[in-house]
């Protein structure tokens, strides 16, 4: 709105010299910084389409002379982690296996907690919620070792359930906050009317509250998909050797190479690892920003 | 009194049951693990947990360990420059984008995309761009500027600034997005009034508009601060703490002592120090941000 007002006053008359220079200054500033932000992505993309012979020339900013997909194929099917040369597709599969249950369950728990917190009177619930929020600020390193011991004793350490449960635990604060804030904005009369009609806890949740939760659920999916896909630390510690997520495998491929570093393969692998969150980001647009804001703005 | 309480619980019994998973998570996964970590920090645990009591020995050892002191110092430097640059850059980007520019959504997309990528990716990318044998320095040498030096990732004096560069690249868009959302909510009357009074635009931003955006500023600083304390992935991918220990950070110190050096007592002492610091800093922020207006059910 503000910018519209500004343009309305500006468009009535031709721009003064000062204003022209101002516009040039604005576009120069934004343009230079846009180049800075795009530079790494550009380098990765052009390098990933080069052959190793061309990479050795060392012109990291030049366009590929011979456009080649070899590095991408190699990164996906045969890049090596130590002696194991099965490519990033393994990590991709693992990330998907971790992602799906983690996202579904963390959102379901978030919705359920948020609903119970904002519509029902449960003694001590707000104290629990405060502890949960405080927990989300604490570095993972505080929780990791006891959780490792706990999983080891129950026999699930280094398995898919262990990493999924861990993602549910650490996603719970922000998911609960997200749904609680959203439900606080829904009209309470709706809830009261349903109770008078004799609807119980689950009936109200499933037939009234959940259908109204679609917008916030979309935000939650965007947040959890990017967060869980991009996770490195938890996957490294809890997933076990057979379920290492893509981020961990990427780092292993890049940082344990012996001999000559295949920069083109490494960069193709890096782009591949970023494709899921980047696609989510580009498709979701303003919803992504909404997720960032609602994750932390006061309730 | 007791009858009333039991009637209340009975009426809301299902809600109590529904909140059980959250209660279990809070009590065991958050509070229980915290207490366990703190307990272990007072023991002599090495490879396996031991439940003896050695007083503050681990803490004394910890603050006598050069690597830990380096990590703390590094975190302080990173936190200061990262917060300052990220905030200034993000705010400037938001203000410039808000000047009714063409291709606004393109600029927004470009400035925020790094935030969607993982820290591992951010670390790897910048390690390549700044790598003297591959990236900018190598290219400049190729152009004939053989004196050009940009060796931050392998120079122990400068490596922290390489990490700061990568994290600023990752996080500045977050500040931009939040501040821009705030700017869009500012009343247009303010601009009309200040123009009539002839107040320069920068004065209006500094003295009137930015103070109005306090909630967005606090939110972005809180989010950035959390990412600093948790900083681990980007360092592992970019420098692995090197050269030497020049880019070690506390989170990595703890992980190394837990899983590689088998020194659980020392690691838990270090994590307790981080825990106490975070709680001291964050508790007032959380209280004022989330509980001033408490939920409807309370």
């Amino acid at each position: 709105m503000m910018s519209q007002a500004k343009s309305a006053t500006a468009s009535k008359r031709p721009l003064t010299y000062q204003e022209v220079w101002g516009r040039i200054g604005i576009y120069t500033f934004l343009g230079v910084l846009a180049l800075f932000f795009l530079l790494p992505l550009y380098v990765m993309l052009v390098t990933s389409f080069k052959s190793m012979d061309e990479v050795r020339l060392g012109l990291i900013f030049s366009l590929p002379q011979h456009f080649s997909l070899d590095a991408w194929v190699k990164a996906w099917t045969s890049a090596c982690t130590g002696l194991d040369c099965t490519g990033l597709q393994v990590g991709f599969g693992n990330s998907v296996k971790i992602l799906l249950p983690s996202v579904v369950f963390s959102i379901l728990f978030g919705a359920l907690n948020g609903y119970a917190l904002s519509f029902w009177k449960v003694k001590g619930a707000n104290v629990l919620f405060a502890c949960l929020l405080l927990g989300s600020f604490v570095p993972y390193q505080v929780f990791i070792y006891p959780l490792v011991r706990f999983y080891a004793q129950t026999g699930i350490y280094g398995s898919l359930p262990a990493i999924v449960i861990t993602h549910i635990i650490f996603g719970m604060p922000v998911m609960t906050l997200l749904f609680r804030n959203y439900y606080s904005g829904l009209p309470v009369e709706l809830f009261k009317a349903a109770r008078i009609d004799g609807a119980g806890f689950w009936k109200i949740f499933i037939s009234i509250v959940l259908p109204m939760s679609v917008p916030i659920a979309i935000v939650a999916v965007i947040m959890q998909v990017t967060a869980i896909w991009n996770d490195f630390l938890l996957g490294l510690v809890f997933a076990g050797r057979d379920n290492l997520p893509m981020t961990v495998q990427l780092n292993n491929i890049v940082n344990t190479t012996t001999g000559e570093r295949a920069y083109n393969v490494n960069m193709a692998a890096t782009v591949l690892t970023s494709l899921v969150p980047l696609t989510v980001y580009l498709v979701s647009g303003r919803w992504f920003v909404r997720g960032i804001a609602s994750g932390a703005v006061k309730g | 009194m007791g009858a009333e309480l039991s009637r209340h619980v009975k009426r809301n019994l299902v809600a109590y049951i529904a909140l059980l998973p959250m209660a279990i998570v809070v009590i065991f996964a958050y509070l229980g693990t915290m207490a366990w970590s703190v307990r272990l920090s007072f023991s002599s645990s090495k490879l396996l947990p031991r439940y003896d009591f050695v007083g503050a020995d681990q803490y004394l050892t910890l603050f006598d360990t050069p690597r830990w002191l380096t990590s703390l110092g590094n975190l302080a430097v990173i936190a200061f420059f990262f917060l300052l640059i990220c905030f200034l850059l993000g705010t400037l980007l938001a203000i410039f984008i808000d000047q009714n520019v063409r291709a606004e959504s393109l600029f927004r997309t470009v400035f925020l995309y790094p935030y969607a990528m993982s820290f591992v990716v951010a670390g790897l990318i910048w390690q390549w761009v700044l790598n003297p044998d591959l990236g900018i320095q190598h290219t400049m040498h190729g152009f004939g500027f053989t004196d050009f030096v940009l060796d931050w990732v392998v120079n122990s004096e400068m490596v922290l600034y390489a990490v700061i560069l990568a994290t600023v690249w990752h996080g500045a868009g977050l500040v931009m997005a939040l501040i821009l959302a705030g700017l869009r909510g500012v009343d247009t009357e303010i601009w009309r009034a200040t123009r009539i009074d002839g107040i320069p635009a920068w004065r209006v931003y500094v003295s009137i508009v930015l103070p109005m955006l306090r909630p967005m500023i606090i939110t972005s600083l809180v989010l950035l601060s959390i990412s600093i304390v948790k900083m681990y992935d980007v360092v592992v991918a970019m420098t692995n703490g090197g050269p030497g220990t020049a880019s070690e950070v506390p989170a990595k110190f703890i992980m190394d002592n837990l899983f590689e050096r088998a020194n659980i007592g020392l690691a838990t002492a270090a994590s307790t120090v981080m825990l106490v610091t975070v709680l001291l800093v964050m508790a007032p922020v959380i209280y004022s941000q989330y509980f001033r207006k408490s939920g409807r059910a309370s």
Side-chain angles (χ1 to χ4, degrees), chain B residues 49-65:
Chain B
R50 244 182 274 164
Y51 295 97
D52 56 349
F53 187 78
V54 296
D57 278 8
Q58 298 287 8
Y59 291 89
L60 294 176
T61 316
L62 182 68
F63 281 95
D64 213 24
T65 308

Side-chain angles (χ1 to χ4, degrees), chain A residues 173-196:
Chain A
V174 75
M175 287 296 110
T176 304
L177 176 70
L178 193 69
F179 281 96
R180 171 188 173 270
N181 287 356
Y182 181 74
Y183 292 150
S184 301
L186 293 182
V188 75
E189 290 70 28
L190 215 71
F191 171 77
K192 282 183 177 153
R195 288 223 72 184
I196 289 165

Side-chain angles (χ1 to χ4, degrees), chain B residues 41 139 143 221 244:
Chain B
S41 74
T139 309
F143 286 147
L221 290 182

Side-chain angles (χ1 to χ4, degrees), chain A residues 4 14 32 46 77 97 153 156 169 178 181 195 212 237 279:
Chain A
Q4 278 158 14
V32 168
V46 292
T77 58
K97 274 193 292 182
Q153 253 148 35
I156 61 167
I169 289 173
L178 193 69
N181 287 356
R195 288 223 72 184
M212 296 177 82
V237 174
T279 310

